[in-house]
Amino acid sequence: MDHNQHQSGTGSFHGINADARILKITGWLTGIYFLVELGLGFYSQSIAVISDAFHTFSAVGGILIAFIANRISGKAATIAATYGFKRAEIMGALLNGVFLLLMAIYVLYMGYMRLGKELELPTGIMFLAAFGGLVTETISFRLIYKSQKTNMNMKGAYWHIMQTFVGSLLIIVAALVIKFTGYTPIDAILGMVFGLVLFWASYKIIKDALDIFMETVPKDVDVEKVKSALLNIKGVKSVMHLHAWTLTSNQNIFSAHIQIDDMQQSETILRTAESLLKTQFEFYFSTLQLETEHHDMGADDLNIVS
């Protein structure tokens, strides 16, 4: 006997639309600020400000990737894509993770190349560009912060905004140090420190995305506890071919073969099992096969031996 269990989650249509609106607003804010900062850079002939403007432009690209992935993920399931296109969000997160990794390498390289070089940095323009960035980035932070906690795609966009926000803070700190001490290498040193932070953030995003594509057990799921809970249901003899994986952010999937004593008790056992999986372990979707005897499916290599 098979059973499919559905429940709504954060990947719902309304959630996708809300995230899309947030990405649109943050994208426009960041894009407009990029043009303003680029104009200030060319006006002052400041390489530092021009470089930060293109740094901001990279965030626009990251938000655009997240937005496209968000729109694709909202498409309904089809006969050719029976799970729909939900994994597009994870693909967007992976692309943004790689994008952030490249940015981290670039920032580290630029910082290293600038060490030991005496640069003429116009602190007035640096302050103006940085404060403008802090305003737009703070607004974007407030919009995206809640969504990024539970959505990997939004987390990728969040870290792009984070890099521009911290970049603006570093410009202010560097400008203050240069203005009062004349120590210009501080610009490169602070940039390299943040490059390491970006490297760590990109690693986390890439690893989490690859874990989902490899269909590893979700971090918030203890397979042994799930199996034990199912075995404690009256009438259940054994649980085999147990599988748990993540479809997309906050949507964990579960399947298993459950051997029972009496098929006449199947409906009661099934309702108990599905309620347990939904309420206690918060699975978004599950498929259970009940049987009185174990059938050799020819896929014992996929069965967990514990």
Side-chain angles (χ1 to χ4, degrees), residues 4-298:
N4 292 338
Q5 168 189 309
H6 299 269
Q7 69 185 76
S8 60
T10 56
S12 66
F13 178 76
H14 295 293
I16 289 171
N17 278 350
D19 288 345
R21 286 194 295 271
I22 290 171
L23 290 170
K24 276 185 181 179
I25 295 170
T26 55
W28 275 108
L29 282 173
T30 310
I32 291 170
Y33 175 65
F34 157 70
L35 294 175
V36 172
E37 188 176 28
L38 188 65
L40 287 173
F42 281 120
Y43 175 77
S44 65
Q45 295 298 301
S46 168
I47 299 299
V49 176
I50 292 173
S51 296
D52 190 66
F54 282 106
H55 195 216
T56 301
F57 182 68
S58 73
V60 178
I63 294 169
L64 180 61
I65 289 173
F67 177 76
I68 293 172
N70 172 273
R71 301 309 291 173
I72 294 174
S73 69
K75 292 184 177 181
T78 68
I79 194 67
T82 56
Y83 271 130
F85 297 85
K86 295 177 182 290
R87 283 273 174 90
E89 285 196 343
I90 309 305
M91 180 61 74
L94 180 60
L95 290 174
N96 261 328
V98 173
F99 197 177
L100 284 169
L101 177 61
L102 293 175
M103 286 301 303
I105 294 172
Y106 171 75
V107 169
L108 288 168
Y109 172 75
M110 289 298 294
Y112 175 76
M113 293 300 292
R114 285 188 179 187
L115 281 176
K117 291 184 178 180
E118 290 294 328
L119 301 173
E120 187 68 30
L121 299 175
T123 55
I125 294 294
M126 289 173 70
F127 275 125
L128 183 60
F131 277 118
L134 288 179
V135 171
T136 58
E137 290 143 13
T138 299
I139 295 172
S140 296
F141 262 137
R142 289 178 63 85
L143 289 171
I144 205 170
Y145 182 73
K146 186 176 181 180
S147 294
Q148 66 86 28
K149 287 184 176 181
T150 57
N151 186 296
M152 190 179 297
N153 185 46
M154 297 295 281
K155 187 181 291 292
Y158 169 83
W159 270 100
H160 275 289
I161 296 170
M162 171 69 83
Q163 65 157 330
T164 58
F165 178 80
V166 175
S168 296
L169 286 178
L170 293 181
I171 287 177
I172 292 173
V173 173
L176 287 171
V177 172
I178 293 168
K179 184 176 180 64
F180 292 106
T181 70
Y183 184 67
T184 56
I186 189 65
D187 182 56
I189 293 171
L190 291 177
M192 291 177 71
V193 170
F194 185 59
L196 293 174
V197 174
L198 274 183
F199 190 87
W200 172 81
S202 64
Y203 166 77
K204 287 282 293 177
I205 292 173
I206 291 171
K207 182 182 182 301
D208 288 347
L210 289 178
D211 280 345
I212 290 176
F213 281 122
M214 291 297 294
E215 298 191 344
T216 60
V217 175
K219 293 179 181 178
D220 56 342
V221 173
D222 186 326
V223 172
E224 289 296 336
K225 285 185 178 180
V226 177
K227 184 176 182 179
S228 177
L230 290 172
L231 287 171
N232 284 333
I233 297 174
K234 185 178 180 181
V236 172
K237 293 174 62 178
S238 66
V239 178
M240 298 157 291
H241 284 286
L242 183 154
H243 301 286
W245 68 100
T246 298
L247 179 59
T248 189
S249 300
N250 299 310
Q251 292 187 3
N252 293 336
I253 311 295
F254 180 86
S255 70
H257 285 216
I258 300 178
Q259 188 176 358
I260 62 177
D261 291 319
D262 184 359
M263 193 57 75
Q264 291 184 350
Q265 299 297 316
S266 61
E267 284 299 323
T268 300
I269 293 172
L270 191 58
R271 284 195 295 270
T272 303
E274 71 180 22
S275 176
L276 181 147
L277 291 170
K278 178 180 178 180
T279 59
Q280 184 174 335
F281 297 102
E282 299 182 340
F283 281 103
Y284 176 77
F285 179 93
S286 65
T287 302
L288 302 175
Q289 179 168 314
L290 305 186
E291 53 197 27
T292 54
E293 295 182 5
H294 172 56
H295 300 286
D296 184 6
M297 303 296 292

